[in-house]
Amino acid sequence: MKAVSLAIAVVSAFSFGFSGPMARFLGEAGLSPLESVWVRMAGAGLVMLLVLAIVRPRALRVPRDRMLFFAAYAVIAVAGVQGLFFFVITRLPVGVALLFEYTSPVLVVVWVRLIRRVRLAATAYLGALVAVVGLAVVVEVWHGMRLDVIGVLAALASAACSAGYFLMSDGFGDDIDPLGLICWGMVGAAVILLPISRPWDIPWSAFARTAAVGDHALPVAGAAAWMVLVATVAAYVTGVIAVRRLSAAVGATVSSIEVIAGALIAWVLLGEGLGTAQIIGGAVVLAGAMLAQSATVRRSPVRDELPLGQTIGS
């Protein structure tokens, strides 16, 4: 069971890893980062809405007493994570922005321990810290560092929203269908991002062209479809399933593999080579993820023993 859960988490991380490379092709076609993220959210929301309406309409029902949770999920776990990150990379180097966002495992384990009062194995804490150190090496955070107060504050908010994604994905009850939550989260995020993404200014004719990044070319429509179906729909669905099986703390740390996945995918699709730092840092990240996942073996709350996967509070 644990091996299957970890495999699902890795699939999610690799699916998310296509986000950057696919966005590069959209950028070459003339779309801004915020326009790309709106296409991503709106496209994913529409796909899920149509599919669920046909094959699983009950998933789209929102319990009246959980409407606030659905709204918070759309704002924090989807729009906040995606919108803030793409804003941050306009103020800070991409590597620094990634490092900030993937400090979320540390925020998650602190929240779980102090707020939910769940005692995690020491490996959960150690794994989260090791993964963050590895990420700093992968993104070569020492290059291009500059202080931008607004960028740093937005990066911290992005990390908090990313932590919120894992905590909220782990915290809802059986009265909510995970697929319905993800669907409405995407749709809600697209609506929230409307005034800042301004989709009416998107050069829609670009989707009929081919975009090239270096020596590699892809149809723009194909890159957009892959980003919607794989890097968003598949990534979020498998991500939520993994968090529900592993816990927020472990799922957040294992998700840091996304940075390695993104680097590998960029190497294959964009010809961006991996340096020594990326290889060493990747090994450190994997070590941290392996340490964190071992925390699924022993977890008990401060007061009472609970079955694996059950948490206290929300």
Side-chain angles (χ1 to χ4, degrees):
M1 179 66 73
K2 186 176 71 173
V4 173
S5 301
L6 289 170
I8 294 172
V10 171
V11 168
S12 175
F14 268 83
S15 297
F16 274 120
F18 280 99
S19 303
M22 294 302 105
R24 286 283 304 277
F25 286 104
L26 295 188
E28 289 297 321
L31 276 72
S32 71
L34 285 174
E35 289 173 341
S36 295
V37 78
W38 189 87
V39 169
R40 180 183 186 182
M41 295 298 99
L46 181 60
V47 167
M48 291 198 70
L49 193 61
L50 291 175
V51 171
L52 290 177
I54 295 172
V55 303
R56 195 169 176 173
R58 289 199 304 174
L60 297 174
R61 296 176 184 173
V62 180
R64 184 171 299 181
D65 61 341
R66 303 305 295 268
M67 292 185 69
L68 185 59
F69 179 82
F70 273 74
Y73 192 87
V75 173
I76 298 171
V78 185
V81 172
Q82 302 298 330
L84 281 171
F85 177 75
F86 279 98
F87 172 75
V88 170
I89 62 177
T90 67
R91 312 283 304 204
L92 297 175
V94 173
V96 177
L98 281 170
L99 181 61
F100 268 107
E101 181 170 351
Y102 280 95
T103 58
S104 57
V106 178
L107 300 179
V108 169
V109 295
V110 169
W111 180 278
V112 169
R113 181 64 181 88
L114 298 181
I115 305 301
R116 292 185 174 178
R117 298 186 62 78
V118 173
R119 181 177 290 121
L120 298 171
T123 50
Y125 303 95
L126 181 60
L129 290 174
V130 169
V132 170
V133 171
L135 288 169
V137 179
V138 171
V139 302
E140 296 183 329
V141 68
W142 52 86
H143 290 319
M145 174 69 79
R146 68 178 188 274
L147 179 63
D148 182 300
V149 175
I150 295 176
V152 169
L153 291 175
L156 291 172
S158 175
C161 287
S162 181
Y165 158 70
F166 292 104
L167 290 166
M168 296 176 78
S169 296
D170 184 41
F172 62 85
D174 295 335
D175 58 329
I176 294 178
D177 189 298
L179 294 179
L181 177 63
I182 297 169
C183 175
W184 290 123
M186 301 294 179
V187 173
V191 174
I192 294 165
L193 293 172
L194 269 174
I196 58 174
S197 296
R198 301 174 62 85
W200 47 87
D201 291 334
I202 292 176
W204 294 103
S205 60
F207 289 89
R209 301 199 297 267
T210 296
V213 177
D215 297 329
H216 298 73
L218 280 179
V220 177
W226 193 267
M227 186 167 66
V228 166
L229 297 176
V230 176
T232 310
V233 175
Y236 268 91
V237 171
T238 53
V240 170
I241 291 173
V243 169
R244 301 288 288 177
R245 286 168 168 256
L246 292 170
S247 83
V250 179
T253 303
V254 176
S255 74
S256 59
I257 296 173
E258 177 190 338
V259 177
I260 303 173
L264 290 173
I265 293 167
W267 177 40
V268 174
L269 292 183
L270 308 178
E272 297 180 356
L274 295 174
T276 303
Q278 280 74 38
I279 296 173
I280 295 174
V284 175
V285 171
L286 288 174
M290 290 176 66
L291 278 172
Q293 64 85 20
S294 68
T296 59
V297 177
R298 304 189 298 279
R299 282 199 316 167
S300 62
V302 172
R303 297 176 183 172
D304 301 302
E305 190 78 19
L306 290 179
L308 180 64
Q310 186 175 340
T311 58
I312 297 175
S314 59

